[in-house]
């Protein structure tokens, strides 16, 4: 994290946050330990190895950053080197796992994380807010369907369904499986899982 902090300051990057499998593991969503740290930011892109650590920098619009939690880290317990690391919040990283599934290979497991965490009303409120602000149509369709299947209150799902237009183009619930299954017209999905 010290290496990351120095590199980002050198590049003049003020807005960045960690996400991906390392952060999924940090929150206890998965036991997989990543050998790479994924960083959303507004200036740098590509994979880099810095002092033996693998980083993948994912450049995104500044407006797509946020919903974070700062953690203080003291490398080797040296107080003078205390740094702060910005992680996506729990709701944000579950959203990232669904929205950026192609970068992280995180579907369908991310649907299970959503089901597990959505029983917490505070988490669910933040998650819905993130979906409405940062989500695309595909993400809102998938999330709305999953929440509805969980028996989530229409108060939550209606916010997303109102944003969606009727469609005759159906997308697969699980984009990595063949697009065969039942059609859900409300959410515009092929339920292939």
């Amino acid at each position: 994290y010290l290496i990351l902090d120095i590199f980002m300051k050198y590049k003049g990057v003020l807005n960045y946050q960690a996400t991906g499998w390392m952060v999924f593991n940090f929150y206890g969503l998965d036991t997989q330990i990543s050998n790479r740290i994924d960083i959303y930011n507004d200036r740098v892109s590509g994979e880099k190895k810095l002092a033996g650590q693998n980083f993948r920098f994912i450049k995104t619009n500044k407006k797509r950053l946020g919903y974070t939690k700062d953690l203080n880290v003291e490398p080797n317990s040296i107080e003078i080197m205390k740094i702060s690391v910005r992680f996506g919040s729990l709701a944000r990283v579950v959203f990232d796992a669904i929205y950026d599934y192609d970068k992280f290979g995180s579907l369908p497991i991310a649907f299970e994380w959503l089901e597990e965490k959505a029983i917490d009303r505070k988490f669910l409120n933040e998650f819905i807010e993130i979906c409405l602000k940062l989500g695309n149509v595909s993400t809102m369709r998938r999330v709305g369907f999953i929440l509805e299947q969980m028996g989530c209150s229409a108060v939550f799902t209606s916010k997303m369904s109102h944003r969606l237009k009727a469609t005759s183009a159906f997308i697969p619930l699980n984009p990595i499986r063949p697009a065969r299954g039942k059609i859900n017209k409300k959410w515009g999905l092929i339920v292939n899982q």
Side-chain angles (χ1 to χ4, degrees):
Y1 298 117
L2 180 59
I3 293 161
L4 173 65
D5 188 55
I6 291 168
F7 177 75
M8 295 310 250
K9 284 177 181 168
Y10 171 74
K11 289 290 190 179
V13 181
L14 301 175
N15 297 314
Y16 66 92
Q17 62 199 65
T19 190
W21 287 102
M22 190 232 8
V23 182
F24 303 159
N25 176 273
F26 170 80
Y27 282 116
L29 298 170
D30 197 81
T31 57
Q32 178 176 328
I33 297 173
S34 179
N35 61 355
R36 178 182 68 208
I37 301 174
D38 293 302
I39 305 293
Y40 283 143
N41 72 95
D42 62 348
R43 296 186 83 177
V44 182
S45 65
E47 295 195 25
K48 299 192 184 329
K49 192 167 198 157
L50 305 170
Q53 174 63 52
N54 295 316
F55 291 91
R56 177 171 57 172
F57 296 95
I58 304 167
K59 186 177 176 182
T60 188
N61 188 302
K62 194 182 294 189
K63 293 176 183 176
R64 297 199 55 76
L65 297 170
Y67 299 98
T68 60
K69 172 181 184 170
D70 288 344
L71 301 171
N72 290 323
V73 178
E74 294 179 32
N76 302 323
S77 299
I78 301 170
E79 183 66 31
I80 197 164
M81 295 182 76
K82 185 190 286 187
I83 59 168
S84 182
V85 180
R86 184 166 295 148
F87 280 22
S89 68
L90 177 60
R92 172 61 196 254
V93 299
V94 172
F95 168 81
D96 293 345
I98 296 170
Y99 177 84
D100 267 337
Y101 69 86
D102 54 336
K103 286 183 179 68
F104 304 125
S106 46
L107 283 184
I109 190 74
F111 293 146
E112 293 175 23
W113 300 340
L114 175 57
E115 289 177 17
E116 179 185 307
K117 300 298 178 187
I119 57 172
D120 177 347
R121 195 172 184 87
K122 184 178 175 189
F123 167 90
L124 190 56
N125 281 325
E126 183 181 354
F127 183 81
I128 297 294
E129 181 182 324
I130 293 167
C131 283
L132 293 171
K133 184 175 179 187
L134 304 177
N136 57 17
V137 170
S138 299
T139 302
M140 285 194 276
R141 286 182 184 183
R142 291 179 176 119
V143 166
F145 175 80
I146 293 293
L147 293 177
E148 192 172 79
Q149 293 303 299
M150 289 174 45
C152 225
S153 166
V155 170
F156 295 107
T157 58
S158 66
K159 292 176 183 179
M160 281 184 277
S161 66
H162 283 98
R163 289 260 180 107
L164 300 171
K165 296 177 182 170
T167 184
S168 59
F170 299 101
I171 62 166
L173 176 62
N174 184 342
I176 61 172
R177 294 189 64 195
R180 292 189 298 267
K182 292 183 180 179
I183 299 293
N184 182 294
K185 289 183 179 178
K186 177 179 180 181
W187 296 105
L189 289 174
I190 301 166
V191 183
N192 61 340
Q193 152 174 330

